[in-house]
């Protein structure tokens, strides 16, 4: 609320002048303030709902990444076992080929082929180990331990 007073002199000359007083007041009543406050509340609630939905979406993404990384690690561990079994079998086949060559039953070609199978089995085994380690790193990243794990790994080297 504002108030003011105005004092003036009115007349033909200064001797015949009369004092005039004017008094006034202004009052400001915010009629639309209630609507604005309600709109602010609705906007804040909408922002809160949106942030909660983003949080749930993020939780779903994290859950998906962790589950996928666990499945990848399990599959990679199975690949390592299969590759290890294949390598063992290839080494046994090579030993048998050498024994047959030594006994004079087979020629050198069978030994060379068995050596090639062993080399291929070694490559498969190395590839499966790489995939398994990559799956471990993916799981650590999905769980949130990748940075600490890498730091710890590098400190141990």
């Amino acid at each position: 609320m504002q108030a003011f007073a105005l004092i003036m002199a009115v007349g033909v000359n200064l001797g015949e002048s009369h004092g005039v007083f004017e008094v006034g007041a202004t009052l400001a009543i915010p009629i639309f303030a209630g609507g604005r406050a309600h709109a602010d509340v609705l906007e804040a609630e909408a922002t809160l709902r949106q942030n909660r939905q983003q949080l749930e979406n993020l939780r779903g993404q994290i859950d998906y990444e962790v589950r996928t990384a666990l499945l990848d690690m399990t599959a990679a561990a199975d690949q390592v076992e299969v590759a290890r079994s294949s390598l063992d079998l290839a080494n046994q086949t090579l030993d048998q080929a050498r024994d047959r060559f030594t006994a004079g039953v087979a020629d050198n070609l069978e030994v060379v082929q068995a050596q090639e199978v062993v080399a291929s089995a070694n490559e498969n085994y190395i590839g499966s180990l790489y995939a398994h380690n990559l799956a471990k790193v993916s799981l650590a990243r999905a769980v949130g331990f990748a940075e600490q794990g890498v730091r710890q790994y590098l400190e141990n080297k």
Side-chain angles (χ1 to χ4, degrees):
M1 182 172 153
Q2 294 179 344
F4 63 91
L6 184 61
I7 303 172
M8 296 188 291
V10 177
V12 177
N13 59 28
L14 196 56
E16 294 180 8
S17 64
H18 299 285
V20 178
F21 299 96
E22 185 178 330
V23 177
T26 59
L27 179 63
I29 300 174
I31 297 173
F32 300 108
R36 182 179 180 129
H38 182 66
D40 289 344
V41 168
L42 290 177
E43 182 181 358
E45 287 175 351
T47 302
L48 179 62
R49 272 194 309 275
Q50 182 181 12
N51 289 341
R52 284 184 179 159
Q53 289 172 352
Q54 288 175 349
L55 177 64
E56 287 303 313
N57 186 25
L58 183 61
R59 284 183 179 156
Q61 287 176 348
I62 291 170
D63 183 55
Y64 172 77
E65 286 181 14
V66 169
R67 288 176 188 264
T68 302
L70 279 171
L71 290 173
D72 288 347
M73 192 174 79
T74 303
D78 291 343
Q79 280 181 335
V80 168
E81 287 302 315
V82 169
R84 185 177 293 135
S85 295
S86 296
L87 182 60
D88 290 342
L89 181 62
N91 281 324
Q92 289 173 1
T93 303
L94 178 61
D95 289 341
Q96 291 173 357
R98 285 181 180 155
D99 289 342
R100 282 195 295 274
F101 178 72
T102 304
V105 178
D107 59 355
N108 195 22
L109 180 63
E110 187 177 338
V111 175
V112 171
Q113 288 174 340
Q115 288 173 338
E116 185 179 333
V117 170
V118 168
S120 177
N122 269 322
E123 288 177 11
N124 289 339
Y125 181 66
I126 290 169
S128 68
L129 285 177
Y130 174 76
H132 188 248
N133 287 331
L134 188 63
K136 286 179 186 178
V137 169
S138 295
L139 178 62
R141 186 187 66 76
V143 173
F145 294 126
E147 186 176 334
Q148 295 94 352
V150 169
R151 203 176 283 145
Q152 183 181 12
Y153 175 76
L154 293 175
E155 286 174 1
N156 289 338
K157 287 288 175 172

